[in-house]
Amino acid sequence: ARNLITRTWITPQQYTTPVEINIFGDKVAFLSFGNEFVGFSIQSPQIAKAFQEIFALAKSAGTPSTPPVSVSSSGRIPRHSFE
């Protein structure tokens, strides 16, 4: 069996929160390096898959597949017609 690692590096200006999230197998680990050092992990295939999909969506955010949706000051999302 091969262990594959994918790392994504971002600049400190893009992500200022001192928290690291790691996904490995069916586990998700959270590490906080702020004023206090805290870490915990969750073992759940569903949660690991959800974070994998969230990371994939965030990575592809630079190339949206649909036009962005704006929210009005009332908090309501206006209806749009996409062609």
Side-chain angles (χ1 to χ4, degrees):
R2 284 176 67 189
N3 291 325
L4 301 177
I5 296 174
T6 301
R7 288 194 172 168
T8 302
W9 299 100
I10 55 176
T11 66
Q13 295 79 17
Q14 292 173 301
Y15 184 75
T16 60
T17 304
V19 175
E20 181 177 314
I21 302 170
N22 298 295
I23 305 166
F24 46 102
D26 63 351
K27 297 178 184 85
V28 181
F30 299 86
L31 303 169
S32 173
F33 302 103
N35 294 333
E36 59 185 14
F37 182 76
V38 177
F40 66 94
S41 66
I42 299 172
Q43 184 171 4
S44 166
Q46 296 86 4
I47 292 175
K49 176 103 171 110
F51 270 90
Q52 290 171 347
E53 291 179 5
I54 289 167
F55 283 5
L57 288 169
K59 189 173 181 179
S60 68
T63 56
S65 58
T66 59
V69 175
S70 61
V71 178
S72 69
S73 60
S74 68
R76 295 178 56 199
I77 299 173
R79 292 183 178 213
H80 291 285
S81 173
F82 300 131
E83 296 179 18

